[in-house]
Amino acid sequence: MSEKVKPESVSLYPLGTAAAPEPELLCIFGTGDFGRSLGQRLLQTGYRGVYGSRSPHSCGPLPQGAQVMSHAAAAQLASLVFICIHRENYSFLETLAPHLTGKVLVDVSNNLKKDLYPEANAEYLQRLVPGAHVVKSFNTLSAWALQNGPSDANRQVYLCGNSPEAKQMVVEVATKLGFTVLDRGSLYAARELEDFPLQLFPEWRLPLRVAVGLSASFFFYVLIRDVIYEYVEQGKDTSFRIMVSLANKVFPIVSLIMLCLCYVPGLIAAFLQLYRGTKYKRFPDWLDRWMLCRKQLGLLALGFASLHVLYTLIIPIRYYVRYRLAAITISQKNQTDEFVTGMAWRTDSYYSMGILGFALYLVVGITSLPSVSNALSWREFSFIQSKLGYLTLFFCTFHTYLYGWNKFLNHSSYKWYTPPPYMLALVLPSVVLVFKLLVLLPCVDRRLTRIRQGWEKDDK
């Protein structure tokens, strides 16, 4: 027998002629908005998709390229199944338990309110299909977020489950879709994940309460001084001032105080570290919560400052102001007051400090937004939020001092023996700036820097 001669050379073929691996097939139960958006996103990412529906022939428009069939048939084709249906419709899954055994079931459901059921939806699903591996995930996303892709506001996907292998499969899918996955542990954490979408501005609750409380307190304080006092003592009805004049007194006061509240916890933390001589002891819980909501306090402060600017711009076109100007013009009969250089300096400085303060306000507020702060280094972000933030506080405080000037010397400013509102607004900013200067003293700053670098005071 003649031996078969092997060729010394190997034929080379273009890479495109090699058979490409077939994309992975994923199954989706549910053809609603979320199911359709998820399927569209999976197809765009390179997966194949099959829908399981109770009415395959009349389930509405689906993403192009996706198949649709009965639940049982669809479940047999894929090893990972997204359950995009409400908990009230889970009962039919119990009959599909033989087809779902060994599958990974991703529960994306949520409830209308907390504690609606004795157990989490994912735990209930695991009880219905004990042979499957249930993973709770994707429930914090919306159909809109899936259609438009991840952004800074919804980049994270939470996940929990009892099977590490099943969770890893879901992590790979979520990562390929462009999301960052946070593993919250076992399926016992499913109730916590299901409560996340039900929270209404959880990080804004305390700042909003502070803003509402300050606004209401100062509004009634100004109302008593500027409206009720005028009516009782002089019989004048100045209630029309409530809409603009009173509001324009309250907005800057609340803005200045809330800006201070952004920096008070940092000063408290610094003095606590100086007193303890270490950075390794936890701060009190109330201080931790306060520090976590500083961004929200600052953004609300910027909002009140913006309202103050807008209300100030409409002052010249108000009927009351135009009436007063006309009355003054007629009463003077072409007579003009002597020009006072000192008053010109004060008013120009007052407006200049206000403009500079608001400009820095905008810079600090804009850089606190995730889309902007993500583009900054930590040193740049710290410089803007700390250095420029304190400079903003200084300009705004100086602006208020120039507004008051020597009014505190006038007896008429103390209506019913109450101080003017601007004086109350200056208390906290002045204290904050004084304590900040103390922290900046070389002897204090040097010790605080050593503590934050790991040095600890010797108790002996």
Side-chain angles (χ1 to χ4, degrees):
M1 297 178 62
S2 60
E3 295 183 357
K4 188 175 181 180
V5 180
K6 296 182 179 180
E8 296 181 358
S9 61
V10 180
S11 300
L12 299 178
Y13 296 93
L15 292 176
T17 60
E22 190 175 13
E24 183 180 357
L25 178 66
L26 302 179
C27 177
I28 300 174
F29 280 7
T31 56
D33 291 339
F34 190 91
R36 290 198 301 269
S37 300
L38 178 60
Q40 180 68 39
R41 187 72 182 156
L42 291 172
L43 290 171
Q44 292 173 350
T45 313
Y47 289 100
R48 291 184 299 137
V50 58
Y51 283 91
S53 174
R54 58 188 172 185
S55 52
H57 303 290
S58 59
C59 58
L62 294 175
Q64 187 176 4
Q67 298 175 283
V68 59
M69 55 188 68
S70 65
H71 291 110
Q76 293 177 353
L77 297 178
S79 58
L80 190 148
V81 183
F82 287 93
I83 309 298
C84 302
I85 56 179
H86 294 286
R87 176 188 173 126
E88 294 80 5
N89 302 321
Y90 277 5
S91 56
F92 79 94
L93 295 173
E94 192 171 10
T95 62
L96 293 177
H99 303 286
L100 298 174
T101 300
K103 309 284 186 181
V104 177
L105 305 184
V106 183
D107 178 34
V108 303
S109 64
N110 290 310
N111 296 320
L112 296 177
K113 59 182 181 180
K114 293 183 178 181
D115 302 325
L116 189 61
Y117 300 102
E119 58 185 347
N121 296 349
E123 293 176 314
Y124 174 59
L125 178 60
Q126 183 69 81
R127 185 161 56 84
L128 288 178
V129 193
H133 306 292
V134 176
V135 176
K136 185 73 182 184
S137 188
F138 285 85
N139 67 302
T140 56
L141 298 177
S142 63
W144 183 89
L146 287 170
Q147 289 177 356
N148 295 275
S151 60
D152 292 328
N154 51 26
R155 188 177 296 276
Q156 290 182 340
V157 169
Y158 296 96
L159 172 147
C160 70
N162 295 330
S163 170
E165 294 79 10
K167 290 197 290 186
Q168 183 58 36
M169 292 179 63
V170 180
V171 167
E172 292 175 359
V173 174
T175 304
K176 196 171 181 179
L177 293 179
F179 296 101
T180 301
V181 181
L182 265 64
D183 192 344
R184 302 305 293 259
S186 68
L187 202 61
Y188 182 76
R191 179 176 290 277
E192 180 186 0
L193 266 61
E194 291 171 5
D195 288 343
F196 281 170
L198 300 177
Q199 297 176 356
L200 184 62
F201 302 114
E203 298 176 349
W204 289 82
R205 289 180 182 176
L206 179 59
L208 285 172
R209 289 171 183 170
V210 172
V212 172
L214 288 173
S215 301
S217 301
F218 278 100
F219 176 79
F220 285 113
Y221 187 80
V222 175
L223 179 69
I224 293 172
R225 284 176 46 86
D226 291 6
V227 177
I228 298 178
Y229 175 84
E230 295 287 338
Y231 184 78
V232 173
E233 297 293 334
Q234 303 177 13
K236 294 181 180 180
D237 181 13
T238 57
S239 58
F240 63 90
R241 301 185 63 194
I242 292 176
M243 299 306 297
V244 176
S245 298
L246 268 63
N248 202 28
K249 286 186 176 182
V250 172
F251 291 150
I253 293 173
V254 176
S255 175
L256 185 58
I257 293 177
M258 293 194 69
L259 180 61
C260 291
L261 293 178
C262 296
Y263 297 99
V264 171
L267 291 174
I268 295 176
F271 281 102
L272 273 176
Q273 289 177 338
L274 288 170
Y275 173 75
R276 294 170 173 176
T278 179
K279 71 171 185 178
Y280 296 109
K281 290 184 179 180
R282 282 185 55 86
F283 296 130
D285 291 338
W286 59 268
L287 185 57
D288 279 337
R289 291 195 298 270
W290 191 351
M291 296 182 74
L292 289 174
C293 67
R294 287 180 295 179
K295 180 177 77 172
Q296 289 76 16
L297 287 169
L299 290 175
L300 287 174
L302 175 59
F304 279 102
S306 303
L307 288 174
H308 173 52
V309 171
L310 293 176
Y311 271 67
T312 303
L313 291 175
I314 68 169
I315 287 178
I317 63 174
R318 292 179 60 202
Y319 169 77
Y320 170 69
V321 175
R322 290 188 285 113
Y323 174 82
R324 288 290 302 273
L325 290 175
I328 293 173
T329 302
I330 294 174
S331 63
Q332 287 183 343
K333 296 181 180 180
N334 296 327
Q335 296 179 358
T336 57
D337 295 330
E338 183 181 356
F339 182 81
V340 181
T341 306
M343 178 62 69
W345 265 102
R346 183 175 75 86
T347 54
D348 284 1
S349 301
Y350 165 71
Y351 290 124
S352 178
M353 291 297 103
I355 293 171
L356 291 174
F358 184 66
L360 290 176
Y361 232 136
L362 291 174
V363 173
V364 175
I366 291 173
T367 53
S368 68
L369 300 176
S371 57
V372 179
S373 60
N374 290 342
L376 300 174
S377 66
W378 169 247
R379 186 175 182 181
E380 294 168 341
F381 180 78
S382 177
F383 172 80
I384 294 175
Q385 294 296 318
S386 180
K387 304 298 188 300
L388 292 187
Y390 273 105
L391 188 60
T392 303
L393 180 60
F394 171 76
F395 281 146
C396 293
T397 304
F398 194 28
H399 172 71
T400 309
Y401 271 110
L402 291 171
Y403 168 79
W405 198 244
N406 60 352
K407 293 180 183 178
F408 69 96
L409 299 175
N410 298 330
H411 178 72
S412 59
S413 298
Y414 299 89
K415 301 175 182 178
W416 281 339
Y417 304 103
T418 58
Y422 78 87
M423 292 181 64
L424 300 179
L426 284 171
V427 173
L428 186 59
S430 303
V431 172
V432 170
L433 290 174
V434 168
F435 276 94
K436 181 60 178 177
L437 289 176
L438 291 176
V439 173
L440 291 177
L441 291 175
C443 56
V444 179
D445 181 64
R446 185 164 51 247
R447 182 180 178 88
L448 185 59
T449 301
R450 290 182 63 195
I451 291 173
R452 290 176 174 174
Q453 290 177 345
W455 177 83
E456 292 187 272
K457 179 178 65 174
D458 188 357
D459 293 336
K460 296 180 182 180

